[in-house]
């Protein structure tokens, strides 16, 4: 487990101790082929911590407006793909 993933897991554990249930909002791991497909869409290499994070959780599994991480949404890979498509459309 990478240090970044250990830090994320530690954050979830600490916040769950407060009764927030954030770990319950996380999706199961992403499929490795999906991780690679989305990583290939970036213009450069993605950090290993990014791969490890999606190998542990494929984003948040709910549709709440507010995300679990200080209001930021941990997007599932499908949402990351849509975001990348939107960015490419705007830059074209």
């Amino acid at each position: 487990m990478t240090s970044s993933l250990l830090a994320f897991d530690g954050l979830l554990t600490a916040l769950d101790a407060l009764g927030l249930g954030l770990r319950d909002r996380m999706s199961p791991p992403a499929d490795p082929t999906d991780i690679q497909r989305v990583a290939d869409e970036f213009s450069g290499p993605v950090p290993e911590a990014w791969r490890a994070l999606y190998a542990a959780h494929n984003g948040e599994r709910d549709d709440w407006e507010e995300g679990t991480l200080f209001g930021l949404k941990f997007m599932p890979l499908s949402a990351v793909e849509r975001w990348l498509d939107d960015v490419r459309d705007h830059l074209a």
Side-chain angles (χ1 to χ4, degrees):
M1 189 177 287
T2 68
S3 61
S4 297
L5 190 54
L6 284 171
F8 181 72
D9 190 58
L11 175 65
L12 290 178
T13 299
L15 294 174
D16 279 347
L18 299 173
L20 299 177
L22 298 183
R23 191 178 303 277
D24 294 338
R25 293 180 65 186
M26 297 296 123
S27 293
D31 184 273
T33 56
D34 292 336
I35 295 170
Q36 186 60 51
R37 187 185 70 250
V38 175
D40 289 344
E41 291 188 34
F42 284 91
S43 60
V46 297
E48 196 55 41
W50 181 89
R51 291 177 184 275
L53 185 59
Y54 278 100
H57 306 286
N58 187 9
E60 296 176 36
R61 67 172 165 223
D62 58 45
D63 293 325
W64 291 12
E65 185 70 27
E66 289 282 317
T68 60
L69 303 171
F70 309 107
L72 300 175
K73 192 76 167 172
F74 173 22
M75 298 188 309
L77 286 175
S78 59
V80 173
E81 282 184 295
R82 285 192 305 274
W83 180 83
L84 286 169
D85 287 341
D86 287 347
V87 168
R88 277 192 287 272
D89 288 346
H90 290 310
L91 295 176

